[in-house]
Amino acid sequence: MTIHAPIPRPDRRPLTIRLATPRGFCAGVDRAIQIVERALEKYGAPVYVRHEIVHNRHVVERLKAMGAVFVRELDECPDDRPVVFSAHGVPKSVPAGARARDLFFLDATCPLVSKVHVEAERHHAAGRHIILIGHTGHPEVVGTMGQLPPGAISLVETVADAEAFQRPGDAALAYATQTTLSVDDTAEILAVLKRRFPELPDPHKEDICYATTNRQEAVKRLGEGCDLVLVVGSKNSSNSARLVEVAIRAGARDARLVDDAGHVDWNWFDGVSTVGVTAGASAPEPLIAALVDAIADRFDATVVEDAGERETVTFKLPRALTD
């Protein structure tokens, strides 16, 4: 969606709006949403979705209106309707339970999360104990830990956790990370682990996904020159919350997470001459455009789009939806 230039308002205070690039939907989120939409087109409503397909309230509400039914567990799903697993991934017990009931299911797990699952299984098969850097209770962490038997993975959330971690016996070690973490926070935790356990191998490829990394780099550039940074995203979106933290660290005087333009407190703009606008990987572009319009309605705004990484990654849909 194109962000249109605002109408000049010379009678109002001038304000520069800097738009981060990239921002908003990533390939994994786009794929997951398409899976639900295509399933509704092909099989009709209702289609059941285990947990929020992505962490964005507006996306979830729109899909509900189309006929998606969001549930917490499979026992809430009837036997005769399709079920979609969320983009965050699920423990192995979930598809096993679906197969036991002969449910038709579609797995919308982001391929980059699936890559972490495969790495965890590879390390486990090689006899290594896995340290997972991530946030307790996040669906992605629950899904990754659920790929292996209890006790095979130890969760580390902070530098203090990394200092306190104890190797189980004389086990060889490996590590993996949640894909939506702060790149800088993860580097600090990993530095401690590498100091304590120098033999820790590097992953074949970075676990933190390209989209998370690109959006954090973009918001660093905003933070360096903005008085205020607004991040469009829902509170339960890990990657969106990290963008707020990154903006503050980069030098922004203030940074806020907002669901949409209706959640902006205009007192935040007191003394602000430059505002940065970005969005988490699960936030739709129309919400960003609406926020820019709302700001432009109150100020004599000039919109500048920052130069940044242009993303061309796409992920294939399940064959059941493309045949």
Side-chain angles (χ1 to χ4, degrees):
M1 177 173 291
T2 302
I3 304 288
H4 297 289
I7 298 170
R9 298 180 182 275
D11 57 323
R12 304 190 183 184
R13 179 161 70 84
L15 181 76
T16 299
I17 303 171
R18 283 179 55 190
L19 283 171
T21 301
R23 58 183 181 270
F25 277 1
C26 65
V29 164
D30 189 50
R31 173 180 180 271
I33 294 169
Q34 282 193 61
I35 287 173
V36 179
E37 292 172 342
R38 294 280 190 95
L40 285 164
E41 289 173 10
K42 185 167 184 176
Y43 306 110
V47 167
Y48 286 75
V49 185
R50 184 185 178 275
H51 293 185
E52 292 188 349
I53 186 68
V54 297
H55 281 161
N56 186 272
R57 180 175 62 85
H58 291 272
V59 170
V60 169
E61 291 301 322
R62 183 177 68 82
L63 293 174
K64 279 183 180 178
M66 294 172 65
V69 178
F70 291 86
V71 298
R72 291 196 59 81
E73 299 300 343
L74 290 184
D75 59 13
E76 300 172 62
C77 302
D79 293 336
D80 60 347
R81 297 305 304 162
V83 181
V84 180
F85 301 152
S86 82
H88 309 102
V90 295
K92 278 190 172 179
S93 59
V94 174
R99 291 187 189 99
R101 287 178 53 192
D102 202 25
L103 291 178
F104 172 65
F105 65 87
L106 295 160
D107 189 354
T109 300
C110 174
L112 299 179
V113 173
S114 296
K115 180 180 76 70
V116 175
H117 293 179
V118 170
E119 284 181 357
E121 291 187 293
R122 178 174 58 82
H123 287 310
H124 182 64
R128 302 184 186 103
H129 182 82
I130 299 158
I131 303 167
L132 176 62
I133 304 172
H135 296 300
T136 300
H138 189 279
E140 185 184 325
V141 167
V142 173
T144 299
M145 296 188 75
Q147 301 304 304
L148 300 176
I153 299 177
S154 294
L155 182 63
V156 167
E157 290 192 81
T158 64
V159 166
D161 289 345
E163 292 283 9
F165 169 76
Q166 295 298 316
R167 183 199 304 265
D170 59 355
L173 298 175
Y175 78 91
T177 74
Q178 183 180 329
T179 63
T180 55
L181 297 179
S182 159
V183 174
D184 294 337
D185 285 349
T186 304
E188 291 176 11
I189 293 169
L190 187 55
V192 172
L193 292 171
K194 287 273 197 177
R195 170 174 55 78
R196 296 189 61 215
F197 310 104
E199 76 279 13
L200 270 175
D202 288 323
H204 290 305
K205 204 171 182 182
E206 293 298 327
D207 285 346
I208 296 176
C209 84
Y210 78 93
T212 297
T213 301
N214 289 346
R215 280 151 190 73
Q216 289 181 18
E217 288 300 316
V219 90
K220 283 180 184 178
R221 291 190 290 272
L222 287 186
E224 291 168 358
C226 292
D227 305 302
L228 170 67
V229 173
L230 297 179
V231 179
V232 180
S234 294
K235 289 181 179 178
N236 61 341
S237 168
S238 174
N239 76 86
S240 300
R242 301 293 81 73
L243 292 178
V244 174
E245 297 167 2
V246 170
I248 292 289
R249 285 187 180 182
R253 192 180 73 199
D254 192 11
R256 306 279 179 160
L257 181 65
V258 294
D259 255 323
D260 51 46
H263 288 80
V264 172
D265 182 340
W266 297 103
N267 291 321
W268 298 339
F269 284 75
D270 291 349
V272 169
S273 61
T274 303
V275 58
V277 174
T278 189
S282 49
E285 184 73 9
L287 297 181
I288 306 165
L291 174 59
V292 171
D293 287 345
I295 298 170
D297 281 344
R298 291 165 174 79
F299 298 92
D300 183 21
T302 301
V303 177
V304 178
E305 183 146 5
D306 277 16
E309 189 76 23
R310 296 288 174 176
E311 295 173 349
T312 58
V313 176
T314 58
F315 295 130
K316 292 181 179 179
L317 297 177
R319 185 173 298 174
L321 296 177
T322 58
D323 285 345

